[in-house]
C-alpha cells in the first residue's frame, strides 16, 4: 500500500496540512502512521477527504461527518449513510426555499427600481417585527 506524506496528501486533496491534522484529531481521518516523525496516510485517504468535503458542502457538521463510515462498503455502512442523507434532505430543502425567497426579494427590489430606501414600498413594514 502506498502512503502519502502530509504535504502531498494536502496537495492532492486541496486542503491545508493543518486541516488534515485537525480532522485526524477530531476522528474524521484515521490516525496517521509516522515515518521519520512525519505523518503519512494511505493514498486511499484522498477518497475519505472527498467524502468529508462533500458532506461539509451539504451542510453536515463535523460531528455528523465523524459518524460516516470510513472506507466501509458493507450493507450496514451503506444503510447508515442512506439514513443520514435521508435525515439531511428536509434541512437542505428548507435552506433551498430560504435562499430562493432571498433571491426573489433581491429580484423584486431590482424590478422596483426606485433605489430610494427611505421611500421604497417593498421595504415598508406591516407593523410586525421579523
Amino acid at each position: 500500500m502506498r502512503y502519502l506524506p502530509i504535504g502531498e496528501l494536502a496537495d492532492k486533496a486541496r486542503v491545508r496540512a493543518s486541516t488534515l491534522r485537525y480532522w485526524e484529531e477530531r476522528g474524521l481521518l484515521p490516525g496517521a502512521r509516522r515515518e521519520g516523525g512525519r505523518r503519512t496516510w494511505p493514498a486511499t485517504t484522498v477518497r475519505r477527504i472527498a467524502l468529508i468535503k462533500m458532506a461539509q458542502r451539504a451542510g453536515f457538521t463535523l460531528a455528523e461527518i465523524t459518524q460516516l463510515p470510513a472506507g466501509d462498503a458493507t450493507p450496514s455502512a451503506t444503510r447508515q449513510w442512506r439514513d443520514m442523507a435521508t435525515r439531511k434532505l428536509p434541512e437542505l430543502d428548507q435552506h433551498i426555499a430560504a435562499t430562493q425567497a432571498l433571491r426573489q426579494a433581491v429580484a423584486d427590489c431590482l424590478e422596483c427600481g426606485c433605489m430610494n430606501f427611505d421611500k421604497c414600498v417593498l421595504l415598508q413594514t406591516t407593523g410586525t417585527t421579523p
Side-chain angles (χ1 to χ4, degrees):
M1 178 180 293
R2 181 166 181 250
Y3 282 78
L4 303 174
I6 191 168
E8 186 177 344
L9 179 60
D11 288 345
K12 283 187 180 298
R14 295 189 173 117
V15 296
R16 293 180 176 182
S18 60
T19 299
L20 296 176
R21 289 189 290 272
Y22 179 70
W23 287 350
E24 178 189 21
E25 181 182 305
R26 294 285 309 261
L28 286 109
L29 294 178
R33 100 180 184 183
R34 304 290 177 148
E35 290 181 8
R38 297 179 66 204
R39 289 175 167 92
T40 62
W41 279 276
T44 56
T45 305
V46 173
R47 189 163 177 79
R48 174 68 181 175
I49 294 167
L51 174 63
I52 292 167
K53 290 168 67 175
M54 183 277 303
Q56 283 183 310
R57 284 191 310 274
F60 284 91
T61 65
L62 291 181
E64 290 171 323
I65 296 169
T66 301
Q67 298 172 17
L68 294 175
D72 189 353
T74 63
S76 67
T78 301
R79 194 170 28 259
Q80 181 182 357
W81 165 245
R82 181 179 294 281
D83 291 347
M84 289 178 72
T86 299
R87 286 191 307 270
K88 184 57 78 173
L89 285 178
E91 184 182 320
L92 292 172
D93 289 339
Q94 286 178 326
H95 180 71
I96 290 167
T99 302
Q100 287 175 330
L102 288 171
R103 186 202 182 284
Q104 188 60 52
V106 170
D108 290 347
C109 187
L110 284 173
E111 190 174 309
C112 170
C114 75
M115 299 312 289
N116 185 331
F117 298 129
D118 291 335
K119 297 178 183 175
C120 182
V121 174
L122 295 175
L123 298 177
Q124 289 180 356
T125 60
T126 59
T128 60
T129 326

